[in-house]
């Protein structure tokens, strides 16, 4: 299986941005480790300032695609009322080197979402520079998540997840954190009911080196968005629609100050993400593992996403096996229905050709 939509390299993105906004509106806020420009743009003239950044993890492109659509809509003048209330600062792709190589990390192998305080990387410094200068009232921290998450223990796959980040290890609910919670509740209530059981809450353990935790601590309510997995939508085209709606809904409730009507307690009722899913389960497999031969086993396979010739290959790799796996497969097969040998030598990470 392949996807061209998941790969959004800097050149493709920047060509799109240059069509959408005049070159003088595109600000270079810094340069990556490999000296690629990191772009930012401002929209709107309102008093309430919202900073949003996407693709700080280079392989998380869905929210960037949503941002492009939102910029298109805002430039076309449709939601112009919103831009009378808001000033937006948008960084569509904070980690262009990681986007080019389709990796989470930057070119120095650093996770930028663990570098908020230390600021060891040029991309982290660029984001902090914008935060200090723009002085946002709200932040949207835009990410994508893997296929493994259920919205609640053994629930539906998480299509979207949210987090109001912690500001200390006690999990105190400060004014900023409360606002982020209310915005999330407002978004959830405004989203299509068709995914109401597919919205999860992300783990809120505190780490001040995570950007959301730091920015919320500094007084800017920060909402973390995670674009997740809609069943069999490996291109994330369906999720794209939901995440676009979610971001727009968040901006709307901030513009109208509607979020204050929502009860933050509802945030805590959003089911926590649980790692219950795996891409493929194959039943009826005979496994040779070292000296052991085990019959009638279920084999768990997870896709590894590999960049190949400007497209993403999804390669199913062995993770584990057992008689009764405590996992749900997005797809399940009987080995007799597949064109592979029914007896497999198990090796963690081994690629199984099944399609
Ligand atoms: Zn991420």
């Amino acid at each position: 299986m392949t996807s061209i939509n998941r790969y959004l390299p800097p050149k493709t993105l920047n060509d799109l941005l240059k069509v959408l906004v005049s070159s003088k509106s595109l600000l270079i806020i810094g340069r990556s480790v490999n000296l690629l420009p990191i772009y930012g743009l401002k929209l709107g003239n309102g008093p309430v300032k919202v900073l949003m950044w996407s693709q700080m993890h280079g392989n998380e492109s869905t929210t960037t695609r949503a941002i492009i659509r939102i910029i298109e809509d805002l430039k076309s003048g449709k939601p112009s009322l919103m831009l009378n209330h808001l000033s937006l600062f948008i960084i569509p792709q904070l980690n262009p080197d990681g986007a080019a190589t389709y990796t989470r990390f930057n070119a120095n192998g650093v996770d930028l979402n663990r570098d908020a305080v230390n600021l060891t990387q040029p991309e982290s410094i660029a984001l902090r520079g914008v935060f200090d200068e723009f002085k946002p009232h709200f932040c949207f921290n835009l990410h994508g998540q893997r296929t493994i998450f259920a919205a609640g223990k053994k629930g539906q796959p998480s299509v979207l997840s949210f987090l109001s980040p912690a500001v200390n290890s006690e999990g105190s609910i400060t004014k900023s954190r409360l606002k982020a919670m209310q915005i999330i509740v407002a978004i959830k209530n405004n989203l299509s009911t068709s995914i109401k059981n597919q919205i999860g809450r992300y783990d809120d353990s505190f780490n001040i080196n995570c950007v959301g935790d730091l920015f919320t601590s500094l007084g800017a309510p920060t909402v973390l968005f995670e674009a997740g997995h809609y069943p069999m939508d490996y291109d994330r085209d369906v999720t794209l629609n939901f995440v676009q709606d979610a971001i727009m809904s968040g901006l709307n409730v901030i513009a109208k100050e509607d979020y204050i009507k929502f009860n933050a307690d509802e945030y805590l009722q959003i089911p926590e993400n649980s790692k219950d899913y795996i891409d493929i389960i194959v039943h009826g497999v005979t496994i040779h593992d070292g000296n052991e031969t085990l019959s009638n086993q279920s084999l768990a396979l997870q896709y590894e996403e590999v960049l190949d010739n400007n497209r993403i290959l999804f390669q199913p790799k062995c993770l584990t096996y057992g008689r009764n796996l405590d996992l749900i497969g997005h797809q399940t097969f009987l080995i007799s229905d597949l064109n592979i040998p029914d007896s497999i030598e198990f090796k963690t990470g081994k690629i199984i050709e099944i399609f």
Side-chain angles (χ1 to χ4, degrees):
M1 189 163 59
T2 60
S3 168
I4 52 166
N5 293 340
R6 292 285 286 274
Y7 185 52
L8 185 56
K11 184 174 182 329
T12 306
L13 173 69
N14 298 339
D15 287 350
L16 278 169
L17 288 174
K18 281 168 189 166
V19 171
L20 284 174
V21 291
S22 65
S23 53
K24 70 174 192 305
S25 306
L26 270 185
L27 315 165
I28 294 179
I29 62 160
R31 287 193 178 265
S32 66
V33 172
N34 288 338
L35 302 178
L36 291 176
I38 302 167
Y39 288 108
L41 59 129
K42 283 181 175 175
L43 290 171
N45 303 300
V48 180
K49 294 184 281 185
V50 183
L51 167 63
M52 58 175 115
W53 62 94
S54 181
Q55 235 173 333
M56 73 187 310
H57 294 141
N59 58 351
E60 297 172 359
S61 56
T62 310
T63 46
T64 309
R65 292 165 65 201
I67 289 274
I68 295 283
R69 287 186 175 185
I70 287 167
I71 295 170
E72 274 170 353
D73 283 352
L74 292 175
K75 293 298 286 186
S76 74
K78 266 190 259 171
S80 57
L81 207 60
M82 178 198 288
L83 294 183
N84 294 334
H85 291 92
L86 300 181
S87 291
L88 305 179
F89 196 114
I90 302 173
I91 305 168
Q93 192 170 69
L94 185 64
N95 178 6
D97 295 341
T101 53
Y102 199 72
T103 54
R104 176 180 178 88
F105 306 104
N106 78 345
N108 285 331
V110 172
D111 183 337
L112 299 176
N113 207 22
R114 301 292 182 272
D115 192 40
V117 172
N118 298 336
L119 296 174
T120 62
Q121 302 303 306
E123 298 88 353
S124 315
I125 293 166
L127 176 60
R128 184 57 195 264
V130 171
F131 181 84
D132 288 342
E133 199 174 313
F134 184 60
K135 298 183 173 52
H137 299 103
F138 299 90
C139 296
F140 287 178
N141 184 7
L142 305 172
H143 290 258
Q145 71 182 12
R146 290 175 289 161
T147 57
I148 60 174
F149 295 105
K153 189 74 187 154
K154 297 286 193 288
Q156 298 282 313
S158 288
V159 176
L160 294 178
S161 300
F162 297 94
L163 172 69
S164 165
V167 296
N168 54 34
S169 46
E170 293 80 47
S172 306
I173 298 175
T174 58
K175 269 188 191 168
S176 296
R177 200 168 175 221
L178 186 75
K179 283 185 186 175
M181 288 177 177
Q182 287 175 303
I183 293 166
I184 292 167
V185 173
I187 293 171
K188 182 176 185 289
N189 279 276
N190 289 339
L191 270 173
S192 160
T193 51
S194 66
I195 58 159
K196 73 176 180 357
N197 296 323
Q198 290 164 272
I199 296 173
R201 180 161 55 93
Y202 227 78
D203 167 29
D204 68 351
S205 47
F206 175 64
N207 181 347
I208 196 68
N209 257 315
C210 294
V211 177
D213 301 41
L214 178 69
F215 286 2
T216 306
S217 305
L218 294 172
T222 299
V223 176
L224 179 103
F225 292 67
E226 294 275 0
H229 183 67
Y230 190 87
M232 296 315 294
D233 177 36
Y234 283 89
D235 277 341
R236 300 264 159 115
D237 291 337
V238 180
T239 299
L240 171 61
N241 294 324
F242 290 119
V243 80
Q244 179 187 357
D245 286 351
I247 295 169
M248 280 305 291
S249 169
L251 292 175
N252 268 314
V253 294
I254 291 172
K256 295 179 187 161
E257 239 190 323
D258 270 354
Y259 63 88
I260 57 170
K261 291 190 237 156
F262 288 87
N263 186 346
D265 289 346
E266 267 190 61
Y267 170 78
L268 298 168
Q269 289 160 20
I270 299 173
E272 268 199 85
N273 274 326
S274 177
K275 293 177 180 173
D276 292 333
Y277 280 89
I278 189 129
D279 288 317
I280 300 164
I281 294 178
V282 184
H283 296 299
V285 187
T286 300
I287 304 265
H288 305 290
D289 189 353
N291 294 327
E292 268 191 318
T293 297
L294 300 157
S295 62
N296 203 19
Q297 300 291 302
S298 297
L299 186 66
L301 304 171
Q302 184 70 17
Y303 284 126
E304 188 173 89
E305 296 164 21
V306 177
L307 177 62
D308 176 75
N309 242 336
N310 291 328
R311 59 205 173 130
I312 305 305
L313 301 181
F314 293 85
Q315 298 182 326
K317 291 201 166 184
C318 297
L319 286 196
T320 187
Y321 61 86
R323 269 273 162 96
N324 295 298
L325 291 177
D326 193 24
L327 289 166
I328 308 168
H330 287 297
Q331 297 180 87
T332 57
F333 299 97
L334 281 176
I335 196 151
S336 52
D337 294 337
L338 297 172
N339 188 24
I340 54 174
D342 62 4
S343 179
I344 288 171
E345 187 188 342
F346 180 78
K347 208 172 161 198
T348 308
K350 184 181 171 188
I351 296 172
I352 301 280
E353 300 287 346
I354 64 165
F355 298 114

